[in-house]
Amino acid sequence: MKVSGFTFLRNGTMLGYPYLESLRSLLQVCDEVVVAIGQSEDDTLEQVRSLNDPRIRIIETEWNEGMAQRGFVYAQQKMIAQFNCTGDWAFYLEGDEVIHEDDVPKIRAVLEQYLNHPEVEGIAFDYHHFYGAPNLVAKSPAWYRQELRVIRNTIRTFAPDGLFWVVMDKNKKGRYPKAALAHCPIYHYGHVRSSEKMQEKHRQVAKYWSHAPLPHDYSQVDAKILQPFQGTHPQVVQPWLAAMAETQFVADPNYCLSKRERRHRILAKIESLLGVELTKKHFIKVI
């Protein structure tokens, strides 16, 4: 079995991503890692090269600056990396996502288990979405609880955006991949980077979504969705958390909920009462 990892990056240092930590964690699982690196204004390319791992293959790219349709430029970059993967499985991590070292044997075992089961087209993971501080996680229907991160690399797929895949087993109509569960989490740190870095991220990405940059303020959040994190962080990301994570987070006690947040509170009550999960999934669970 050969497992390819892949991702895309641009201005990772400038925007405060733990991208080196993400790549190091991915290398614990994968036999090769393909990184599409767009022309950056910082040292992202040099930093990835400094990892000096022969399993890393860098593809230097130029982004389509005229593509402002719902972040589709991210899908383009994601697929450039995926189309260069040569493994049986392709494992996608975003630049703010990290794998825990304790889960590496479990992940490899799951991939081995389903390698010769073609009905399993991908592997979905649980998620820890950290928000505001490394000791808090966001839990509500607004934050996906599970997402596909591994796709079988021998089937026809494409990514309509950076988050999910569509399987094209027919010429004109796609569907979500059929997936098994990994039963272990991905650690998502994008919402604990410093407020300064997050504001810069909003400034840079807004043009790819056809809107003006949104002001950033971690305090403007429904505090009821935040829960204490009970586990341990991956070892590889702990120095980044100590040096780069937000340190001043306090939820605004006078924050007024948006219509969307009020709707999610209602959905959360329904989930609790009925014992169901109402978060949208971009895969079809088959095992």
Side-chain angles (χ1 to χ4, degrees), residues 4-21:
S4 299
F6 71 102
T7 193
F8 68 92
L9 297 167
R10 187 187 190 192
N11 291 328
T13 302
M14 182 184 297
L15 302 185
Y17 281 86
Y19 62 96
L20 296 178
E21 293 75 14

Side-chain angles (χ1 to χ4, degrees), residues 157-187:
T157 62
F158 80 97
D161 69 12
L163 184 63
F164 63 93
W165 282 280
V166 172
V167 176
M168 298 298 297
D169 52 5
K170 297 180 181 179
N171 286 335
K172 295 183 179 180
K173 188 175 182 180
R175 59 170 173 80
Y176 289 145
K178 300 172 184 176
L181 300 181
H183 297 294
C184 57
I186 299 293
Y187 292 67

Side-chain angles (χ1 to χ4, degrees), residues 2 15 28 52 73 84 94 122 152 164 166 192 223 229 234-235 238 243 274 276:
K2 182 177 182 180
L15 302 185
Q28 295 177 93
N52 197 30
V73 69
N84 280 274
E94 300 198 338
R152 189 178 291 276
F164 63 93
V166 172
V192 295
F229 175 57
Q235 291 180 5
Q238 290 181 19
L274 300 182
V276 298

Side-chain angles (χ1 to χ4, degrees), residues 129 137-146 221-222 224-227 260-261 263-269 271 277-280:
H129 297 286
V137 287
K139 294 188 177 183
S140 93
W143 297 75
Y144 50 88
R145 279 72 172 254
Q146 294 174 328
V221 64
D222 179 4
K224 286 192 174 182
I225 73 169
L226 302 179
Q227 299 181 15
R260 183 171 180 264
E261 288 168 324
R263 183 171 70 252
H264 286 140
R265 275 197 182 184
I266 294 171
L267 290 176
K269 289 181 180 179
E271 287 183 335
E277 186 181 308
L278 300 176
T279 305
K280 181 177 177 61

Side-chain angles (χ1 to χ4, degrees), residues 89 110-111 113-115 117 119-126 146-150 152 177-184 283-287:
W89 298 105
V110 166
L111 297 178
Q113 178 182 355
Y114 295 117
L115 178 63
H117 292 263
E119 71 277 12
V120 176
E121 298 168 329
I123 306 296
F125 291 76
D126 301 325
Q146 294 174 328
E147 191 53 80
L148 203 74
R149 277 294 177 259
V150 176
R152 189 178 291 276
K178 300 172 184 176
L181 300 181
H183 297 294
C184 57
F283 61 90
I284 304 165
K285 180 183 173 184
V286 292
I287 296 178

